[in-house]
Amino acid sequence: TTTAAKLALNIKGMGRKPLLAAADLQRPGAVEQLQTLGTQIGVEVYSENTDPVAVCRNAVARAKQTLCDTVILDTAGRLQ
């Protein structure tokens, strides 16, 4: 989560417009942590209480609507 925010800040510093997607729905507090970090660095955070795949899919759609050119998906990292 912290790495995703640092990456977004770095990308923002290059003149791009990133969007963070809070798709780590397994770890308590992960969404709130990413929202706090997003506010601190001035990057929009997309979140919803569904499933991680829907969050990622809808975040990409939101990025297109808001003209964000980079989407960073913060997931639980547990792929099978």
Side-chain angles (χ1 to χ4, degrees):
T1 301
T2 305
T3 301
K6 288 179 180 180
L7 182 60
L9 181 61
N10 190 11
I11 290 170
K12 183 180 175 186
M14 291 188 283
R16 299 183 70 152
K17 186 178 178 187
L19 173 77
L20 288 164
D24 183 355
L25 304 178
Q26 294 183 1
R27 186 170 60 89
V31 174
E32 292 82 12
Q33 179 184 5
L34 192 63
Q35 288 173 336
T36 300
L37 292 169
T39 300
Q40 290 175 353
I41 63 173
V43 173
E44 181 183 354
V45 177
Y46 180 84
S47 66
E48 60 183 57
N49 286 330
T50 56
D51 66 284
V53 174
V55 172
C56 293
R57 186 176 294 126
N58 294 336
V60 171
R62 173 74 179 161
K64 290 178 183 177
Q65 291 173 350
T66 59
L67 302 177
C68 293
D69 55 14
T70 305
V71 180
I72 299 170
L73 307 172
D74 181 35
T75 66
R78 297 177 189 99
L79 301 176
Q80 297 180 12

